[in-house]
Amino acid sequence: QITLKESGPTLVKPTQTLTLTCTFSGFSLSTSGVGVGWIRQPPGKALEWLALIYWDDDKRYSPSLKSRLTITKDTSKNQVVLTMTNMDPVDTATYYCAHFPADMVRGVYLDAFDIWGQGTMVTVSS
Amino acid sequence: QSVLTQPPSVSAAPGQKVTISCSGSSSNIGNNYVSWYQQLPGTAPKLLIYENNKRPSGIPDRFSGSKSGTSATLGITGLQTGDEADYYCGTWDSSLSVVFGGGTKLTVL
């Protein structure tokens, strides 16, 4: 059974750096054919993809936020960490991490997030 | 402004069928698989459809997906009050980024 859980501060001040941790179980990021992504959702608004890291440490970032984001993995701890610099009140949102699987028989990624964490709400305010 | 365009809301009566559209371009939907997510109030999104029309284990066949050109459609038959939720489409973009639609709120009257 795959589970993911986000953790981090609930309140950050403008200009500060946000660090969020996704702790997962049921799979390993050292195994081929898997990734973990981050997605956020401002209150009452749509989903916005942020970043994705693959088992082989390949990384993808949202073009509009790339300069502010860093995604890393710690396979020994089963964790993925997302850092976002220069936080602003518009970054107030629920942040989700999610499992990005592959079909190992066909050798292709499913191009979808199949299991999501419960999300963590981050408020940016002075 | 989302890259993928969805109607803000749709509604139908219990037992009826509803479709939700997702419009994109050749740089995203036109050349990539589409996925659909259901987000019940106060919960995390849940994968309903992947690779345009495939359902993960446990998703009832009341939910279906299709794609034609640069648009995709989610269909829900036999509507239930428990289907009231926000629905999002998603896909890859040529910029090597994941993009989502603006979401559609489904009301079951």
Side-chain angles (χ1 to χ4, degrees):
Chain A
Q1 178 192 5
I2 292 174
T3 64
L4 306 97
K5 187 172 184 178
E6 308 85 353
S7 60
T10 58
L11 178 66
V12 297
K13 298 183 187 302
T15 76
Q16 286 187 336
T17 294
L18 171 68
T19 299
L20 294 173
T21 300
C22 175
T23 303
F24 56 84
S25 63
F27 68 97
S28 172
L29 256 182
S30 59
T31 302
S32 64
V34 68
V36 172
W38 285 94
I39 304 99
R40 72 178 179 180
Q41 184 174 39
K45 296 188 177 181
L47 302 173
E48 179 183 20
W49 174 74
L50 301 176
L52 175 63
I53 188 165
Y54 292 92
W55 68 278
D56 58 359
D57 212 37
D58 192 13
K59 302 167 186 177
R60 297 282 183 265
Y61 293 102
S62 165
S64 62
L65 294 168
K66 185 175 184 177
S67 64
R68 299 174 54 205
L69 295 173
T70 302
I71 189 169
T72 60
K73 62 182 175 70
D74 186 332
T75 54
S76 66
K77 294 182 179 179
N78 279 351
Q79 291 181 333
V80 170
V81 175
L82 181 76
T83 61
M84 180 180 291
T85 61
N86 194 24
M87 293 293 285
D88 183 272
V90 301
D91 296 313
T92 294
T94 297
Y95 287 75
Y96 298 98
C97 63
H99 179 249
F100 191 78
D103 182 328
M104 298 310 295
V105 173
R106 293 183 293 149
V108 297
Y109 285 95
L110 300 190
D111 289 348
F113 297 101
D114 66 340
I115 307 293
W116 295 58
Q118 64 187 25
T120 186
M121 178 67 192
V122 178
T123 300
V124 184
S125 174
S126 55
Chain B
Q1 191 79 0
S2 301
V3 173
L4 306 179
T5 302
Q6 298 181 235
S9 64
V10 295
S11 62
Q16 296 301 303
K17 175 182 178 178
V18 71
T19 60
I20 298 173
S21 61
C22 176
S23 179
S25 69
S26 58
S27 68
N28 40 66
I29 291 179
N31 285 285
N32 293 286
Y33 287 123
V34 176
S35 55
W36 289 91
Y37 304 86
Q38 176 193 61
Q39 187 175 32
L40 297 170
T43 69
K46 175 184 178 181
L47 180 64
L48 288 179
I49 299 288
Y50 68 97
E51 291 185 348
N52 302 335
N53 55 21
K54 297 179 180 178
R55 284 176 286 105
S57 174
I59 301 300
D61 59 7
R62 299 189 300 109
F63 296 91
S64 64
S66 64
K67 184 184 114 170
S68 179
T70 59
S71 294
T73 302
L74 173 70
I76 311 173
T77 60
L79 275 173
Q80 304 172 359
T81 55
D83 295 331
E84 284 204 339
D86 293 324
Y87 292 83
Y88 294 90
C89 57
T91 188
W92 280 97
D93 189 83
S94 59
S95 59
L96 296 182
S97 58
V98 175
V99 290
F100 290 105
T104 299
K105 182 177 180 61
L106 168 64
T107 301
V108 181
L109 302 169

